[in-house]
Structure formats: C-alpha cells, structure tokens
C-alpha cells in the first residue's frame, strides 16, 4: 500500500482560510475517488520559531503508483496547484509518496 501526503504551509494571514479551503474544496475532490481511502487532514504541531504561519497535511492511501500517477496527470496536480493560485506567495506545498512496510 502507498501513502500520498501533501504538506501545505499558509501564512498567518491565510491560515484559517486555507484550512477551510482544504476542508471544503480539496479534500472533497480527493474523496470522490473510490480508489483512495483513509483520507486525513492533520495540523503540524512544531513550526519554525519565526511564527510566520501554520502547516497542514492531507494524506490518503492508494493501492498502486499507477493509479496515483493517473490521478495526478488528469486532475490531482491541477487540484493541488489551485492552492498556490488562490493564495500566491502566502502558501506553498510539497508532496511525498511513501510505501507502507510491515512492522516485523
């Protein structure tokens, strides 16, 4: 199983609005895809000392990389890019793909 997560950083001025945008627009769009499961939204607790904003992470599981790549190529990349378009330099994001391993 693969875990795809994207971390967003919003400035102090856009944090609450950005959180709302993730909840009302980005997450529902991702949740429409039945091949994704265990959708999560998380706040990152330990921020840089400058205190210039807050970070959030969205995360979901997908069975294979081909499914994820297809989603990214058709709609996912554009969906994530809407955050940058909406908030400009007041927001940034990066994504990471993880493979879940057995604990033993």
């Amino acid at each position: 199983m693969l875990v795809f997560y994207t971390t967003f950083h919003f400035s102090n001025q856009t944090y609450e609005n950005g959180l709302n945008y993730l909840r009302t627009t980005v997450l529902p769009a991702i949740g429409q895809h039945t091949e994704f499961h265990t959708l999560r939204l998380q706040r990152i607790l330990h921020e840089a000392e400058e205190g210039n904003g807050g970070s959030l992470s969205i995360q979901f599981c997908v069975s294979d990389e081909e499914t994820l790549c297809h989603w990214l190529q058709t709609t996912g990349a554009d969906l994530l890019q809407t955050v940058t378009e909406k908030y400009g330099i007041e927001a940034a994001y990066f994504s990471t793909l993880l493979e879940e391993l057995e604990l033993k």
Side-chain angles (χ1 to χ4, degrees):
M1 178 183 341
L2 301 176
V3 179
F4 183 76
Y5 77 87
T6 302
T7 299
F8 297 89
H9 181 81
F10 294 96
S11 69
N12 286 328
Q13 295 79 10
T14 60
Y15 179 82
E16 289 298 325
N17 192 276
L19 172 58
N20 187 54
Y21 186 73
L22 293 179
R23 283 181 171 151
T24 61
T25 303
V26 175
L27 291 170
I30 293 169
Q32 291 179 352
H33 296 273
T34 58
E35 55 275 319
F36 302 149
H37 58 91
T38 320
L39 184 60
R40 294 183 175 171
L41 173 64
Q42 300 155 329
R43 180 172 55 95
I44 296 173
L45 294 177
H46 299 286
E47 296 291 334
E49 290 185 26
E50 296 89 41
N52 61 354
S55 296
L56 302 159
S57 178
I58 59 173
Q59 170 183 321
F60 60 86
C61 297
V62 60
S63 60
D64 60 82
E65 197 168 348
E66 183 178 332
T67 300
L68 177 64
C69 287
H70 177 72
W71 175 74
L72 285 168
Q73 291 171 353
T74 57
T75 59
D78 290 339
L79 177 64
L80 297 175
Q81 182 62 29
T82 64
V83 175
T84 300
E85 292 167 0
K86 184 170 179 62
Y87 297 100
I89 63 170
E90 300 294 320
Y93 72 90
F94 67 91
S95 297
T96 305
L97 180 60
L98 305 170
E99 179 182 15
E100 190 156 328
L101 301 175
E102 293 185 30
L103 295 176
K104 58 179 181 172

